[in-house]
Amino acid sequence: MPKNNKTKNGTKRKVIIPIAIFALLFLGIGVGMGYFKKNLYTVMKVPDFELTDQNNKKITNKDMLGKVYLVEFFFSRCPTICPVMNRNMRFIEDEVNSPEFGIISISIDPENDTPAALKEHAKSVGAKSPDWHFLTGNRDYIGKLADQFNIYVGDKEDDSESLNHSGMIALVDKEGNIRCRYNKDNMPILYYSGLNYEDPDGKTPKLNGKYHPDREILIEDIKKLLK
């Protein structure tokens, strides 16, 4: 009889141990998913930059330390995605409403986007914050800077491509790191879209689309970094 009790106890342990292991695994998965939802990925240090804003003031990445800010590439005469991006930035500016938040809008058409032209553009956009800087400078320098950001800007030497650019936006934290959230597969998205979409999942861009999912998550993530 004692042998049978030992056998039964041993069998129970064999059953309980795998159950405990599976429970710990599920707990670990839950904690891991919670981590991805709450924390933002560090992409890289923001590239060094020095450009001139709409007030003829030199602005560098060092000037933006201590602020959470967004970086976009655009040009004021753009008839397609730039007005959409600027409107989404303007919406974010109002929703965040913090003196510790800023926006860097870098023109890829500096020949036309002089500081004076950008000052008029800032007015037309309705920019409010003193930390929304519309920047201009040397086109070669700006092209290289876009490469360092890993945000597409067309080749200046190619007339058909020179004013093409991505609709992506970089999110930078107070320490000067580019940050992003994780997607549903727990992979970092790297950059956020400044575009509008015809579907709530953000799969089909549309200039007058009524959906802008990345705008909403950007606001959430900016507020996380401001805490």
Side-chain angles (χ1 to χ4, degrees):
M1 289 297 291
K3 287 186 179 179
N4 288 339
N5 285 336
K6 286 183 181 178
T7 304
K8 285 179 182 179
N9 290 337
T11 303
K12 284 181 182 178
R13 281 196 292 270
K14 286 178 183 178
V15 172
I16 290 169
I17 290 170
I19 290 173
I21 290 170
F22 279 118
L24 287 170
L25 283 172
F26 280 117
L27 178 63
I29 290 168
V31 170
M33 290 179 72
Y35 173 87
F36 288 121
K37 286 179 181 178
K38 291 178 182 177
N39 291 274
L40 298 177
Y41 177 75
T42 300
V43 180
M44 63 179 181
K45 258 315 192 194
V46 72
D48 290 337
F49 62 84
E50 181 178 326
L51 292 161
T52 304
D53 77 357
Q54 70 269 31
N55 298 311
N56 254 313
K57 181 182 176 182
K58 291 287 183 187
I59 300 295
T60 74
N61 55 296
K62 292 187 175 74
D63 294 319
M64 300 304 291
L65 287 172
K67 295 188 183 295
V68 175
Y69 64 100
L70 304 178
V71 179
E72 67 169 347
F73 289 84
F74 87 113
F75 63 106
S76 67
R77 298 184 302 150
C78 170
T80 54
I81 67 172
C82 297
V84 174
M85 295 175 71
N86 283 170
R87 282 195 296 271
N88 283 328
M89 292 286 203
R90 180 70 186 78
F91 183 89
I92 291 169
E93 179 185 43
D94 272 350
E95 288 297 304
V96 174
N97 190 27
S98 170
E100 295 183 328
F101 172 65
I103 300 173
I104 296 291
S105 298
I106 302 172
S107 173
I108 63 168
D109 184 22
E111 288 186 10
N112 291 290
D113 283 338
T114 61
L118 288 176
K119 190 155 192 171
E120 287 303 311
H121 182 72
K123 288 179 185 176
S124 70
V125 169
K128 295 178 180 179
S129 171
D131 290 304
W132 190 342
H133 301 285
F134 293 84
L135 300 182
T136 188
N138 177 273
R139 179 60 175 82
D140 289 331
Y141 176 89
I142 290 167
K144 289 175 183 175
L145 182 60
D147 287 343
Q148 290 175 315
F149 269 98
N150 290 322
I151 295 178
Y152 168 74
V153 164
D155 185 352
K156 185 192 82 165
E157 305 304 323
D158 186 339
D159 291 338
S160 64
E161 282 287 316
S162 62
L163 292 179
N164 283 344
H165 63 94
S166 166
M168 304 312 287
I169 296 168
L171 169 62
V172 185
D173 67 18
K174 292 181 180 182
E175 288 74 43
N177 301 301
I178 297 176
R179 306 289 294 277
C180 74
R181 69 165 47 192
Y182 295 86
N183 63 19
K184 292 177 182 177
D185 298 318
N186 294 331
M187 296 296 292
I189 64 171
L190 303 182
Y191 298 95
Y192 300 76
S193 173
L195 307 182
N196 292 344
Y197 294 83
E198 69 176 18
D199 61 296
D201 294 327
K203 293 180 180 176
T204 308
K206 189 176 183 181
L207 291 179
N208 62 347
K210 66 177 182 176
Y211 298 103
H212 16 70
D214 276 24
R215 187 177 80 180
E216 310 311 321
I217 65 174
L218 251 180
I219 292 167
E220 290 178 13
D221 292 348
I222 290 164
K223 289 180 178 180
K224 283 180 189 175
L225 294 175
L226 285 171
K227 288 180 180 178

